[in-house]
Each structure stands twice: as structure tokens, then as C-alpha cells.
Amino acid sequence: WGLFPTPHRRPSLQDSTSRLVPSKQSFAMAYRYQGNSNLELVDALEEDRLFREPRIRSALLMVPRGNFVPPAHAHEAHVDRPLHIPEFGFNISAPHMYAIALTNLDLGPGQSFLDVGSGCGHMTALAGMIVGSKGSALGIDISETGIKFASHRVKELAPKGVALQNVHFEQRNVFLRDLKDRRWDRIHCGASCGHKYKHLLYELLNPGGVIITPIGAHLVKGIKDQFGFTSETKLMNVRYGELQHPTHGEILENESTDPHLSIHPPCSVLTPRAYRDANQASSTSIVSRLLSVV
């Protein structure tokens, strides 16, 4: 959901790039803004220095949160807090979390973007707006209802002058192999990933890529350099729902589509020897790695 550690105050951009908030500090649903329009909400986020880039402001204005909130929750669209959507089985993150994620992702025109656990599709659409027509934004989710809702809401923006033809959605589990064997420049994860699974997310990053994801109780910024080595910075304490892991049956079914796979380094933070050993083991079946952590 994204809960800030300091009661009664949203953190500034400086807070979001700090190393780590002490774990013993209390958590609170720290929002202080409830406006009447998307413009007022965006102005409040910018006033609190949650973003600085004009392209982020433009995206937040052109792709309003209200367009991605179900009608039954429309009255909460401009409140800076997460929304629980029981009819869809997921939550919509608070606007301040999207602002922080977009800032730390350093999105730019022409990049490829993956949104894991895309839910209502708002974050995917925001990224699609920023990367532009020469870039791409893909949202994936295990919820068929969520995928249909998100796709429909993106299409609804076209008559309003926002034609996001570079934004697409797919129903699948991120921990199962992508049949197209794609990689992305930037990745955002909208649910918490366990430590033993995070290497599977890093494998989806292109060299030079950035990922923002909750890992356990921390929001983490991960970077993969040009040689495949990765590093992490803990941005802040958070509380998110967990990514759903695939079942043994789903893993075996996915593996059966192509047993001859090319495996990428299965380490979240690679040493030179780990990177070399991982490449030497490239013929290892992905099913054995997945089953070992299920």
C-alpha cells in the first residue's frame, strides 16, 4: 500500500532518496490532502516536492488518477492515500507513491517500461505518457478483471486527446518465463517481492536498467550496470501486499512450452565470480530454480 514512516507528514523528494528510514519508527497512513480535482492533487504533490520534473507533472495532469478508479470509489480519486478495491481483488497505490517511483525510475523518452502487478493501470499509463511514442509501457497482472479494466480505461483517454498506443496489458505471472524473452529498461513493481524471488525480477532488466520494487518491508531501488552487476538502495519503509507466486502446476506448464531456455544470472547482487558461474550454467532449466523457491 505504501505507508510513510513519519506520522502526519508526507516525505519530500529528499526523503525518498535517503538510504533507509529506521525500522523502529512508527508507521501511519500519512496523507494530508483531499482535493476536489486532479489539478489540486498534482499541485499538492509538487508543493511537497515529491517530484520536480516537468514531464512527471505533465503525465500526472494528462493521465488523471480518477480515470483509473472504479465508479464506486470515484469520490476518493483525489485523496492522497491507497484505495482498497475488493471487487477487483487489489489496491490502488497512493498518488505520492507513484510520484516517488516515477522520480526514482528516471524515466525518459524511448525507454521500455514494465509495470508488475499493474492493477488498475494508472502507473502503466503514466509511464507510457513519459516514455512517449518511441518507447513502450507494458502492464502485467494475474487479474483478468484488472487487465480488462486497465485496457478499457487507457482507451477512454484517446477521445480526450491522450492516445497511448504504446501502452499494453497482459495477464500473466511475472515469475513465469516470458515466452517472448523480453527485457526492459525500467521496471516498477506494485507489490512486495520476497528476497528469494527478487533475482527473477532483475533478470528482466536490460543493462543500465532501473527497478523500483518493495522487497519485504522496504521500497528498494535496484540498478543493473552495463556488465550485469546489480546494486540496491533502500529508499524507505513501506507496507505492500505480496506478489502471488506461481503454483507447481503453473511452473511446469510454462516450462513445457519450451524446455530449451537461456538462463540469465540468478543473483540479485552479483560478484564477478557469481556472474561468470551463472553464465557457465546457462543451460540450467528455469523450472528447477523456480521450484526450489516455491
Side-chain angles (χ1 to χ4, degrees), residues 1-4 10-11 28-35 41-42 44-45 48 50 65-66 68-70 72-85 90-99 120 122 239-240:
W1 279 28
L3 307 185
F4 283 120
R10 286 196 308 235
M29 184 72 74
Y31 70 94
R32 67 182 187 190
Y33 182 76
Q34 180 171 354
L41 174 61
V42 174
L45 296 174
D48 278 354
L50 290 170
R65 189 190 196 208
F68 294 86
V69 173
H73 304 269
H75 62 287
E76 302 177 277
H78 305 125
V79 181
D80 185 20
R81 69 178 178 193
L83 302 180
H84 180 49
I85 314 296
F90 57 69
N91 304 316
I92 298 177
S93 295
H96 61 245
M97 294 304 298
Y98 285 167
C120 69
H122 190 206
R239 185 186 303 167
Y240 277 78

Side-chain angles (χ1 to χ4, degrees), residues 162-198:
V162 183
L164 296 175
Q165 298 179 352
N166 63 334
V167 175
H168 304 280
F169 296 92
E170 296 177 4
Q171 182 186 2
R172 69 179 181 88
N173 191 308
V174 69
F175 296 127
L176 296 177
R177 185 180 64 91
D178 175 27
L179 298 180
K180 299 178 182 178
D181 199 30
R182 293 166 291 185
R183 299 293 181 270
W184 289 268
D185 301 320
R186 299 291 188 269
I187 298 176
H188 169 263
C189 191
S192 181
C193 177
H195 286 276
K196 62 184 180 181
Y197 272 90
K198 66 180 181 179

